[in-house]
């Protein structure tokens, strides 16, 4: 395990690093998750291994620090991630990012373009999300006030709703961190993550579950050069549900031919 201080207060982002050649690859998890749990099995596959790979946990999640003073906006997550990558000596990385992590990765590429050479977004959030009491994920978490979530039973309500698999990593997240991250994910960014993605000039691939149907706005994304790839036989956690198809699609996105 390695780490870097990423805030003026010294809060640390931590990651598991797999040795390999440059340029590096960076894996970023979603809300309430952790990169080693979600990405290790695909990152070590021969079709994706061989590169220096950082399986990194965002602040508030997994093995990273959980500061309560941090605001956990997508912009702050991206800046903290940028500080970790610069400390680790990681320029122009391939970034493979899931769900909320994909949103953070888009903001990272927009705010710190020298750090990202290619993006593979795994069912990432591109638009603001309505807050919906009783629903799973960020919309249900953000429907609570922070006080309700942290001390008023919201944490326990979410625990009972999200299921054993997601809870196994969500329980590692700080309560304030989880709520603020969910709240700011539902709020999105200005411009939106979708608009930022459209404006990026690097190679970009968006993976989504085939069962979800066409990606809203896919034509505009394709026209802007984003490769939109539907993956069969999977849900939101594509890398866990269908690792073979995930590896095939990600390896194709990260080949030199994908840049042409």
């Amino acid at each position: 395990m390695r780490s870097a201080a990423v805030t003026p207060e010294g809060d640390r982002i931590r990651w598991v690093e797999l040795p390999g050649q440059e340029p590096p690859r960076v894996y970023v998890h979603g809300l309430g998750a952790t990169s080693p749990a979600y990405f290790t099995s695909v990152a070590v596959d021969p079709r994706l291994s061989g590169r220096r790979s950082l399986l990194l946990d965002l602040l508030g999640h997994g093995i990273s620090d959980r500061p309560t003073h941090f605001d956990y906006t997508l912009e702050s997550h991206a800046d903290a991630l940028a500080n970790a990558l610069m400390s680790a000596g990681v320029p122009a990385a391939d970034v493979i990012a899931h769900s909320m992590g994909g949103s953070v990765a888009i903001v990272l590429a927009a705010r710190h373009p020298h750090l990202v050479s290619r993006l593979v977004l795994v069912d990432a959030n591109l638009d603001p999300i309505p807050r919906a009491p009783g629903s799973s994920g960020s919309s249900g978490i953000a429907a609570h006030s922070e006080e309700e979530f942290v001390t008023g039973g919201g944490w326990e309500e979410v625990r009972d709703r999200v299921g054993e698999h997601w809870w196994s990593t969500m329980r590692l997240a700080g309560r304030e961190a989880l709520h603020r991250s969910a709240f700011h994910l539902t709020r999105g960014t200005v411009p939106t993550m979708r608009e930022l993605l459209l404006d990026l000039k690097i190679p970009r691939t968006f993976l989504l579950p085939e069962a979800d149907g066409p990606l809203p706005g896919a034509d505009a994304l394709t026209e802007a050069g984003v490769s939109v790839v539907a993956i069969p036989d999977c849900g939101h956690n594509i890398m866990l549900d269908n690792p073979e198809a995930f590896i095939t699609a990600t390896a194709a996105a990260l080949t030199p031919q994908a840049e042409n």
Side-chain angles (χ1 to χ4, degrees):
M1 182 180 68
R2 302 189 182 185
S3 70
V6 296
T7 68
E9 295 79 9
D11 305 294
R12 303 190 78 83
I13 277 180
R14 297 182 178 84
W15 64 91
V16 171
E17 185 163 328
L18 306 176
Q21 297 184 3
E22 304 286 340
R25 290 181 177 158
V26 175
Y27 293 84
V28 187
H29 60 84
L31 180 71
T34 170
S35 289
Y38 275 68
F39 284 114
T40 297
S41 63
V42 294
V44 299
D45 184 275
R47 288 162 290 180
L48 292 178
S49 64
R51 292 283 187 89
R52 180 189 178 198
S53 298
L54 286 72
L55 284 67
L56 183 147
D57 283 349
L58 297 170
L59 275 185
H61 291 73
I63 57 176
S64 292
D65 286 348
R66 301 185 288 275
T68 58
H69 61 82
F70 194 70
D71 62 17
Y72 296 98
T73 65
L74 294 174
E75 294 87 350
S76 293
H77 271 306
D79 290 346
L81 176 55
N83 288 339
L85 297 181
M86 288 187 286
S87 178
V90 177
D94 296 335
V95 179
I96 303 99
H98 179 229
S99 196
M100 183 189 80
S103 305
V104 172
I106 292 168
V107 179
L108 173 72
R111 290 169 73 91
H112 306 277
H114 63 292
L115 295 177
V116 183
S117 61
R118 291 181 289 201
L119 273 179
V120 177
L121 303 172
V122 187
D123 209 19
N125 304 79
L126 299 181
D127 305 296
I129 307 165
R131 294 166 200 146
S135 64
S136 296
S138 58
S139 59
I141 293 171
H144 294 275
S145 70
E146 183 173 319
E147 182 178 1
E148 288 171 345
F149 184 75
V150 172
T151 63
W155 173 263
E156 290 79 8
E157 178 188 320
V158 169
R159 174 197 64 198
D160 296 338
R161 190 168 60 236
V162 298
E164 182 178 351
H165 181 269
W166 198 359
W167 184 250
S168 67
T169 58
M170 187 179 286
R171 65 189 177 85
L172 304 176
R175 296 190 186 191
E176 294 87 355
L178 188 61
H179 183 272
R180 293 175 197 170
S181 294
F183 177 85
H184 290 294
L185 181 60
T186 63
R187 188 192 69 171
T189 57
V190 179
T192 66
M193 297 85 77
R194 181 183 296 273
E195 291 168 324
L196 294 174
L197 178 62
L198 288 169
D199 286 343
L200 294 176
K201 305 307 179 187
I202 57 175
R204 296 145 292 161
T205 299
F206 191 103
L207 309 182
L208 75 154
E210 186 177 73
D212 287 356
L215 179 69
D219 289 345
L221 291 170
T222 301
E223 289 174 8
V226 180
S227 177
V228 178
V229 181
I231 305 296
D233 304 320
C234 67
H236 180 55
N237 298 322
I238 298 173
M239 73 293 290
L240 300 178
D241 297 339
N242 191 343
E244 177 64 26
F246 173 86
I247 292 166
T248 299
T250 301
L254 297 179
T255 59
Q257 292 89 336
E259 298 182 14
N260 298 326

